[in-house]
Amino acid sequence: MLDTNTPDKFIFHGAGREYFKIWLVNLVLTIATLGIYAAWAKVRTRKYFYQSTELNGNRFDYHGDPKAILKGNLLVVCIVLTYLFSSAYSPGFAGLIMLSVIFLMPLFLVMSLRFHLANSSYRGLRFRFNGAAKRAYGKLIVTILISLGFFVVLGMVFGIGRGLINLEFSGVTSVLMIIAASLLLGTGIAFILAMFISGLRLFVMNHSKFGNAELKCGAQFGEFGKTTLKSTFLAGLALFLLAIAAFAINMSLFTDALDFSMPLSEETPTTEDSAAQEQAHVAMQAMAMLSSLGAIALLAYLVLFAFGAYLKTAIDNLMWNNTTLANQHRFKSTASPIAATWIHISNILLMVCTMGLFLPFARIRSTRYRITHMAFVPVGSIDEIMREEQSKQKAFGDSMGDALGLELGI
């Protein structure tokens, strides 16, 4: 029995060395079997992470059937190979395949969630997902229409802007117009992200169950909008500062290359010497600019990755802090988006330095931080839920083990 209103923290027992052994064996067997073992590797990995997660002295478990996941993997491989073959010989048919896959994504999403939750359990009781594909299609269509509407308006704004280019404005006015256009673009992107994320995350959460006890999230769209707008603004500011740094570095390198290519003596250089110096100057300038642009591109990639990590952590906090189980039990999430961002960025740098060998340690590190900042706040006991639903859920869970194991990362 859980104490009333006393937060019970999630505990993660996973260790980098343990998971590294599992990851290495999975990698070797997957390569040796030309990808066939990937289904068994996924089940083995997920089972390790679930069984390493504890709540109130009990651990989670995963019961997925590798054969069902293999069916899903083979379906994906067939679609990808058909698309690649069609791209070479029939681009029109390849486009049709791509449109078909996009059209079927909501259906794949529902199948994925049903399989994933039905094979997840806590104290022997399975989770469930009862969302309908038609509701997923409705969410997708609304998001697409709003996105198209935004880009139509954005195109009109930029069209008007191109017409205004021919007019004469002061330097201050031009800067203000650029800033206004950037803010409009950033706000529009944040709005579309908020629409997509809120629709997807609320659809998943509000149709998930623990047994028959419903999970419900009361987060409002305005809260999603504030979170995405803040994240987008921070990412845009970082990219803007990088652009300024790139310009300053390139100008500095250009000046250095020019100074270095100037003749050291006061003697008049010959024509051949002038040509050689000019070629050296051009080569040095190109190398310097390419090197600096490469570094800036890498930093920009890290900024975008950091944006994703920051936004995901902030959205996770928003979701879980507004979610209840059976309309009474609550959750608490206290992860810091800044700390989570640093963990993800440092993980990337360590994986690059170790040529990918740090990957299993990185996953353990990220998972531990996320889980240890989660808590369950019960109101009374959940034993009543357990008693009522365990017998009902056994048959449901077993039947879902034979379903097509399509799984999408949510």
Side-chain angles (χ1 to χ4, degrees):
M1 180 176 293
L2 297 174
D3 296 332
T4 303
N5 293 327
T6 300
D8 196 77
K9 291 187 176 182
F10 287 78
I11 302 173
F12 185 67
H13 298 278
R17 291 184 179 181
E18 289 180 352
Y19 180 53
F20 179 80
K21 297 176 183 178
I22 296 174
W23 173 81
L24 187 60
V25 172
N26 286 343
L27 179 63
V28 172
L29 291 178
T30 300
I31 295 175
T33 59
L34 301 178
I36 294 177
Y37 187 78
W40 281 262
K42 180 178 289 186
V43 171
R44 190 181 178 193
T45 297
R46 186 160 286 166
K47 184 176 286 289
Y48 175 78
F49 278 87
Y50 274 47
Q51 293 178 348
S52 297
T53 304
E54 177 186 329
L55 176 63
N56 194 43
N58 298 281
R59 302 202 182 191
F60 292 79
D61 202 357
Y62 185 70
H63 315 274
D65 182 5
K67 295 180 182 178
I69 296 177
L70 178 61
K71 295 176 185 177
N73 291 348
L74 291 176
L75 175 61
V76 173
V77 170
C78 289
I79 293 175
V80 171
L81 291 179
T82 303
Y83 174 77
L84 294 176
F85 181 80
S86 301
S87 298
Y89 297 97
S90 179
F93 185 67
L96 181 62
I97 293 176
M98 180 62 69
L99 291 176
S100 300
V101 170
I102 294 174
F103 177 77
L104 292 173
M105 282 302 292
L107 178 61
F108 291 160
L109 172 65
V110 170
M111 295 175 64
S112 167
L113 290 168
R114 285 179 179 171
F115 179 84
H116 174 58
L117 290 182
N119 287 290
S120 305
S121 69
Y122 173 69
R123 293 176 61 180
L125 180 61
R126 303 285 183 104
F127 292 83
R128 297 176 60 186
F129 182 77
N130 64 351
K134 61 181 180 180
R135 292 184 64 88
Y137 275 103
K139 300 282 186 183
L140 178 65
I141 290 173
V142 170
T143 303
I144 290 176
L145 291 177
I146 292 176
S147 301
L148 290 176
F150 167 75
F151 284 111
V152 168
V153 173
L154 186 65
M156 294 172 62
V157 171
F158 277 100
I160 296 173
R162 289 184 62 184
L164 294 176
I165 290 177
N166 297 325
L167 302 178
E168 295 183 359
F169 292 103
S170 65
V172 175
T173 304
S174 300
V175 170
L176 290 177
M177 291 178 62
I178 293 174
I179 293 175
S182 300
L183 290 175
L184 175 64
L185 178 61
T187 303
I189 292 174
F191 179 76
I192 292 174
L193 277 175
M195 284 291 300
F196 177 78
I197 294 173
S198 62
L200 175 62
R201 296 295 297 270
L202 290 175
F203 173 74
V204 173
M205 184 68 78
N206 291 333
H207 291 87
S208 299
K209 295 184 176 183
F210 177 55
N212 272 342
E214 295 182 341
L215 286 161
K216 289 296 179 183
C217 179
Q220 301 298 314
F221 175 75
E223 297 174 293
F224 285 95
K226 292 178 182 178
T227 302
T228 54
L229 185 60
K230 179 182 178 181
S231 303
T232 304
F233 173 78
L234 292 175
L237 179 61
L239 291 174
F240 176 72
L241 294 177
L242 277 178
I244 293 177
F247 177 78
I249 291 173
N250 279 328
M251 289 300 297
S252 176
L253 291 173
F254 174 80
T255 303
D256 292 342
L258 182 62
D259 292 340
F260 183 81
S261 64
M262 294 296 290
L264 298 178
S265 64
E266 296 181 356
E267 297 179 1
T268 303
T270 63
T271 304
E272 294 180 356
D273 291 338
S274 298
Q277 286 184 353
E278 182 65 24
Q279 291 177 357
H281 163 64
V282 172
M284 290 182 63
Q285 180 184 355
M287 291 178 61
M289 293 183 65
L290 287 175
S291 299
S292 62
L293 288 176
I296 294 297
L298 177 60
L299 290 175
Y301 170 78
L302 290 177
V303 167
L304 294 176
F305 188 87
F307 163 72
Y310 184 98
L311 180 60
K312 183 182 184 305
T313 305
I315 293 295
D316 285 345
N317 288 342
L318 174 63
M319 289 289 299
W320 286 113
N321 289 329
N322 288 277
T323 296
T324 59
L325 174 66
N327 293 320
Q328 54 180 344
H329 310 293
R330 297 181 294 106
F331 296 86
K332 187 177 181 180
S333 179
T334 58
S336 168
I338 296 177
T341 300
W342 164 246
I343 289 174
H344 281 77
I345 291 179
S346 57
N347 281 344
I348 288 182
L349 297 177
L350 289 170
M351 283 189 287
V352 171
C353 293
T354 60
M355 295 182 293
L357 293 178
F358 190 75
L359 176 62
F361 298 92
R363 187 170 181 184
I364 290 290
R365 189 181 176 209
S366 300
T367 304
R368 177 179 290 110
Y369 180 79
R370 190 72 198 94
I371 290 179
T372 54
H373 285 80
M374 284 282 298
F376 180 65
V377 187
V379 179
S381 172
I382 65 169
D383 289 339
E384 183 178 349
I385 298 176
M386 306 300 301
R387 285 192 298 268
E388 290 181 359
E389 303 303 331
Q390 274 180 332
S391 59
K392 299 178 183 178
Q393 277 295 104
K394 186 177 186 304
F396 174 78
D398 290 344
S399 66
M400 285 301 297
D402 297 327
L404 185 66
L406 284 171
E407 298 199 35
L408 303 177
I410 306 301

